[in-house]
Amino acid sequence: MTLHRTLAFLLAAGLVAGASGAHAQRQRAPADVQKAYDTFIGDFRKALKANDAAAVAQLTQFPFHFADKPDADFFRKTGYAKIFTPKVRACIAKAKGVYDLDGEKNHTYAVFCGETIFTFTRTAEGFRFTDIGPND
């Protein structure tokens, strides 16, 4: 995740104080975007609950850069298990996504699980899992 996207998510979550010392206001997603995300995250959570790497891969945008191997085959065989531990799957099952527009005006949601941010972005194909990064 780029520093810009990380800071944007932190601001949207109200975790970084503004110049005046006040916390940032959380943006609200347009109703159609919220509905699309709700449908997507329901499908994503169902795939995680089933521990179905192939289904999660179908909901992921590729290339997905994890361990310098961006393809779906590596993701299904190796990346999925490393990223989606039982603890992470349980977190995503309950965590609320934080909405934001990224620097390119893409609708995004961030899910915070411990020290990791999971990013979901609206693409031409619908929402997809697009990024993972440190919660710094």
Side-chain angles (χ1 to χ4, degrees):
M1 176 177 281
T2 65
L3 178 60
H4 173 75
R5 288 175 88 182
T6 301
L7 289 174
F9 282 125
L10 292 174
L11 285 171
L15 299 175
V16 175
S20 67
H23 289 288
Q25 293 284 328
R26 185 181 287 191
Q27 292 187 47
R28 297 195 86 163
D32 64 320
V33 173
Q34 184 67 54
K35 183 176 179 181
Y37 173 75
D38 290 344
T39 299
F40 164 82
I41 201 66
D43 292 342
F44 196 82
R45 288 174 173 155
K46 187 184 305 180
L48 290 177
K49 183 176 183 180
N51 204 17
D52 187 342
V56 171
Q58 289 178 341
L59 298 169
T60 300
Q61 182 175 315
F62 293 96
F64 186 86
H65 297 284
F66 179 78
D68 296 325
K69 296 189 180 186
D71 61 65
D73 189 51
F74 178 81
F75 181 88
R76 281 189 304 275
K77 291 179 181 175
T78 305
Y80 172 84
K82 289 184 179 185
I83 296 169
F84 296 106
T85 64
K87 185 176 179 179
V88 167
R89 292 193 315 267
C91 174
I92 292 174
K94 298 176 184 175
K96 183 167 175 59
V98 177
Y99 171 77
D100 196 18
L101 281 174
D102 70 14
E104 298 168 359
K105 305 273 189 231
N106 295 310
H107 299 281
T108 61
Y109 284 82
V111 171
F112 297 83
C113 290
E115 298 301 316
T116 307
I117 302 172
F118 296 85
T119 305
F120 305 97
T121 305
R122 189 175 192 185
T123 70
E125 294 80 33
F127 273 95
R128 294 290 181 262
F129 172 46
T130 54
D131 203 3
I132 184 172
N135 182 4
D136 53 0

